[in-house]
Amino acid sequence: MSGEHYDVLVIGSGPGGATIAARVAETGKRVLILERGDFLPRERDNWNSRAVFGDAKYTADETFYDLHDRPFRPELHYYVGGNSKVYGAALVRLLPGDFGEVRHQDGIAPAWPLSYGDMEPYYVRAEHLFWVHGKHGEDPFAGVSSKDYRYPPVRHEPRIQQLSDDLEKLGLHPFHLPLGVHLTQDGHGRATTDSRCIRCDRVDGFPCLLGAKADAEWAVLRPALAARPNLSLMTRTTVERLVTDAGGRSVAGVTVILPDGSPHTFTADVVVLSAGAILSAALLLKSASDRYPHGLANSSGMVGRNYMRHNNLALIAFSRAPNPTVFQKTLALNDFYGPSKDWQYPMGHIQMLGKSDDWQLKGAAPRALGWAPSAPYSEVAGHSIGFWLTSEDIPRADSRVTLRPDGAIKLALQPGNNTAGLTRLRRTFQEVLAKLGMADTTFMRSLYLHKAFDAAATAHQAGTARFGTDQASSVLDVQCKAHDLDNLYVVDSSFMPSIGAVNPTLTIIANALRVGDHIAELIGTSGPA
Ligand SMILES: Cc1cc2nc3c(=O)[nH]c(=O)nc-3n(C[C@H](O)[C@H](O)[C@H](O)COP(=O)(O)OP(=O)(O)OC[C@H]3O[C@@H](n4cnc5c(N)ncnc54)[C@H](O)[C@@H]3O)c2cc1C
């Protein structure tokens, strides 16, 4: 292995890394992905709520430190496919307005150096690559799409269809949540979207035992590795630092720890970093040298700053009518996304949660449930409908990733950042639920929210190496190349100058395709797109 040189090295195999590696490999050039994790085992526990949520079996054994230097375990997953192994596969485009400057009560979400129109063709490709099922045109607040989804939307089950009808009667505009899942009657992951796997309520938060969820492993890596001998993947290989050449303008080597514990250095013409927004920033800071004492690519001092992660809330509504829905996560609502006549600032996005089971409700069951004070949790769960409310977090220079003197990662998340939008959104939606006879017993499911350690909610991390045209205030240029270096790109969610209020992954994938096209052209042949 020693002395091996690649055309392109990609660090991390999540949606960003897997997508760009597969795209660049279409050129026939030699591409190597370095991934610290292994393949996630396919086993019964994949769908065991207690193992997944209670024991955090698949969560990385990692310790970060918060603003006050208290240790916590972040919500990270080190596997082939990255965090998409457990994601909810809600693959939603940012709204056109998100690409411009957005005024919030607590500050400004800055404009991107690209418009929705620039990103639109890549959104189409991303939707097709990650098997997205949906229907463009249903959501009047969404941007236009030049092509439809490849698959029709996942049907609402009767209780959710009823909710959709009821919301429409109130003048709202529910739409089918775009989802990267193949749901089948027989559960073998084939694309028959008018039916669903009988017991498949295990998407959001769970690894998919069947490979029927469009995570980065199943949607991209497996097909690309099978089709392209010039693409390779090294698992259990952790990148320790990036080393520059004598001139300091190129990454000359990527130092790793191999699975047997020995160090090794790979070289490549182009290096793409996609380790996730927190770990990519940490790796750049860790790669400080005499030439770059404040960290690699950090002449702006912006590496690690402007960390965002969404303001989220899981809301469970109870009604006396049972909710027998199996796969609940099919509906979404953008009616409160922008400013309204009652409030001049944006509120955010609403989508269904996966169905809560008895284990997930334990510890959070509502005392207010007078009709079922001692009911078993399974019975309580059978009457619940869950919603996921998201409002925009805004970048702050002091919400940041740094390294402590002992080398550990400190994630200083400033409290109360633009939470007024989320509070408004909750109140407004609770009023809507009240009109549907569902509000008086709402409470918040705490499992996803990491109440004890707020900073641990790292699922939607972004912003730590933002792109832009001004070298003094951004780390990357518009092609996501580091301003300071000629051959280093970053394509995880670090590049985002603002995060909007929808799930980030479709935008990460679309951007990785965009940057992948650019690199493909740069290294000699653009190959098929
Ligand atoms: C429970 C949960 C639910 C979610 N649901 C949704 C959803 O429904 N929709 C949505 O859009 N998003 C969702 N997300 C977020 C989504 O998973 C992330 O946005 C996405 O995975 C980010 O992709 P990425 O490629 O930027 O990084 P990651 O997925 O974080 O991948 C980074 C990879 O880099 C590897 N790595 C890190 N450091 C090193 C190193 N030093 N050397 C080698 N390899 C390294 C990691 O092991 C990992 O595989 C969810 C996340 C969670 C946790």
Side-chain angles (χ1 to χ4, degrees), residues 11-17 34-37 75 77-79 81-84 86-90 204-205 237-239 274-276 279 283 459-460 492-493 503-505 508:
I11 302 165
S13 67
L34 300 166
E35 168 55 55
R36 73 186 297 162
E75 192 180 11
H77 302 82
Y78 298 160
Y79 293 105
N83 283 298
S84 71
V86 299
Y87 81 157
D204 202 359
T237 302
T238 303
V239 175
S274 188
L279 293 173
L283 198 52
H460 289 189
D492 51 43
S493 50
N503 321 55
T505 308
I508 297 171

Side-chain angles (χ1 to χ4, degrees), residues 78-225:
Y78 298 160
Y79 293 105
V80 173
N83 283 298
S84 71
K85 288 307 297 175
V86 299
Y87 81 157
L91 292 169
V92 190
R93 297 180 180 201
L94 285 170
L95 274 64
D98 291 324
F99 291 83
E101 184 178 286
V102 180
R103 283 186 179 277
H104 291 267
Q105 192 180 44
D106 283 359
I108 285 175
W112 288 37
L114 297 173
S115 68
Y116 175 83
D118 294 325
M119 200 60 109
E120 202 283 328
Y122 302 101
Y123 272 139
V124 170
R125 281 164 61 189
E127 285 162 354
H128 291 185
L129 186 64
F130 273 69
W131 323 336
V132 184
H133 296 60
K135 191 163 165 42
H136 285 299
E138 277 187 332
D139 174 17
F141 306 98
V144 288
S145 175
S146 56
K147 280 206 180 118
D148 215 337
Y149 294 105
R150 196 162 271 168
Y151 301 101
V154 178
R155 254 187 328 150
H156 299 315
E157 290 183 41
R159 181 68 187 90
I160 307 305
Q161 184 60 54
Q162 186 198 329
L163 175 66
S164 178
D165 297 343
D166 290 346
L167 291 169
E168 273 184 19
K169 278 182 206 145
L170 294 178
L172 300 173
H173 303 84
F175 59 97
H176 287 88
L177 180 65
L179 285 168
V181 285
H182 286 325
L183 294 172
T184 68
Q185 213 83 46
D186 61 6
H188 288 299
R190 285 193 302 273
T192 53
T193 50
D194 57 346
S195 58
R196 56 182 47 81
C197 173
I198 296 299
R199 289 300 316 158
C200 190
D201 56 349
R202 295 288 189 255
V203 176
D204 202 359
F206 296 90
C208 182
L209 182 57
L210 305 173
K213 173 164 81 177
D215 60 39
E217 177 195 348
W218 284 91
V220 184
L221 271 182
R222 280 179 181 262
L225 287 167

Side-chain angles (χ1 to χ4, degrees), residues 56-73:
K57 177 170 182 174
Y58 302 108
T59 308
D61 185 14
E62 184 70 86
T63 304
F64 289 175
Y65 293 83
D66 76 355
L67 185 61
H68 308 291
D69 274 313
R70 294 173 303 181
F72 69 92
R73 189 175 180 189

Side-chain angles (χ1 to χ4, degrees), residues 456-468:
T458 54
H460 289 189
Q461 54 184 286
T464 53
R466 62 187 183 185
F467 75 159

Side-chain angles (χ1 to χ4, degrees), residues 63-65 69-71 286 402-410:
T63 304
F64 289 175
Y65 293 83
D69 274 313
R70 294 173 303 181
K286 225 174 147 182
T402 51
L403 299 178
R404 298 192 338 156
D406 63 1
I409 291 174
K410 176 165 173 164

